[in-house]
Amino acid sequence: MISLKNYYLNLFFKITKNLNKNEKHLFTLFFFEKNPNIDDLKKAVFKISKNDKKDIEKIIKNYVDVLNLITILKYKIIYSLKIEKFFAYLIPYGNKSLSELKEIASSENLYDFSSKLGLNVNDYSLVKKALFDNYYDFLRQVWYGYPFKLSVPFVFLQIKQKEIKNISSFVIGLKYSLDKQEIKKMVV
């Protein structure tokens, strides 16, 4: 696993070495800060070129939507907490408004939650996987303009993160002799 982390670090530095200071700051903030302050992220997006700002903002907003939906899924559906207990943890920067998130959070069960998102599945790991699949499908849509768009290396690094996470999940599954279905649930 350490060699995968080293591979990613080397790849990150190779990709970002020719970026300007503001672009490097945005990449570092997004990819390496554990819990980046959303205001800092907004400021970093604001400082990049106008042409790149639109795409990068779309990517980040879609990512925030996934984080918010996973938070709702976890706290409301899995832990059965009331909306008031976790609503403050939602990030008001995604494409979904707080009122839309509140409506989704009013779901009574996993199927209701997934139906509101158009997923219509009743398994936690399938819902989570569908959320991430939708996000990665979106990333493929902004994968254009090579080599002139900042969105291309940004998306590339996110896809590499996904690949590394999946390889790590597979290795952990093998290490603990998990069956094929359990390993599939771990992969995003």
Side-chain angles (χ1 to χ4, degrees):
M1 305 291 191
I2 292 172
S3 59
L4 287 175
K5 287 179 184 176
N6 288 339
Y7 162 77
Y8 185 77
L9 280 174
N10 287 333
L11 180 65
F12 180 85
F13 289 118
K14 255 187 220 178
I15 286 174
T16 59
K17 76 179 177 184
N18 293 325
L19 299 179
N20 69 38
K21 183 180 87 170
N22 292 330
E23 294 166 344
K24 279 183 186 179
H25 176 67
L26 172 66
F27 274 62
T28 303
L29 193 60
F30 185 83
F31 289 102
F32 287 104
E33 288 288 321
K34 291 284 186 205
N35 296 309
N37 180 316
I38 198 66
D39 291 328
D40 292 342
L41 206 50
K42 285 180 187 179
K43 287 176 191 171
V45 170
F46 183 74
K47 290 180 180 179
I48 62 174
S49 75
K50 236 181 204 180
N51 294 338
D52 293 321
K53 189 183 308 182
K54 185 177 156 189
D55 290 338
I56 298 296
E57 195 168 42
K58 274 190 213 173
I59 293 167
I60 293 172
K61 284 184 174 197
N62 277 285
Y63 184 71
V64 167
D65 283 341
V66 171
L67 293 179
N68 284 337
L69 293 171
I70 295 292
T71 299
I72 293 170
L73 177 64
K74 183 177 171 183
Y75 290 115
K76 171 65 175 167
I77 306 303
I78 304 303
Y79 297 129
S80 300
L81 294 177
K82 294 189 184 294
I83 296 171
E84 299 79 31
K85 296 280 186 186
F86 65 86
F87 204 71
Y89 297 119
L90 299 180
I91 305 165
Y93 186 61
N95 293 312
K96 296 194 181 309
S97 68
L98 289 177
S99 61
E100 288 176 290
L101 292 172
K102 201 170 211 170
E103 170 60 29
I104 294 167
S106 70
S107 302
E108 294 298 320
N109 55 47
L110 185 60
Y111 188 76
D112 187 27
F113 174 86
S114 72
S115 294
K116 286 180 181 178
L117 298 173
L119 303 175
N120 301 320
V121 290
N122 202 17
D123 178 272
Y124 173 76
S125 60
L126 292 177
V127 171
K128 187 176 175 185
K129 185 169 178 31
L131 291 173
F132 280 104
D133 284 348
N134 287 342
Y135 176 66
Y136 288 108
D137 285 345
F138 163 76
L139 288 181
R140 287 184 201 91
Q141 293 171 14
V142 295
W143 182 273
Y144 64 90
Y146 181 80
F148 307 107
K149 299 288 264 179
L150 191 61
S151 60
V152 173
F154 202 87
V155 168
F156 182 74
L157 286 170
Q158 285 189 291
I159 290 171
K160 283 299 176 186
Q161 277 183 330
K162 176 187 177 190
E163 289 174 359
I164 290 170
K165 184 181 274 189
N166 286 342
I167 291 168
S168 299
S169 297
F170 183 74
V171 169
I172 289 169
L174 291 177
K175 179 180 177 181
Y176 291 105
S177 302
L178 298 177
D179 69 28
K180 187 177 176 181
Q181 294 304 322
E182 289 300 313
I183 294 172
K184 267 185 160 177
K185 289 179 181 179
M186 293 168 53
V187 173
V188 290

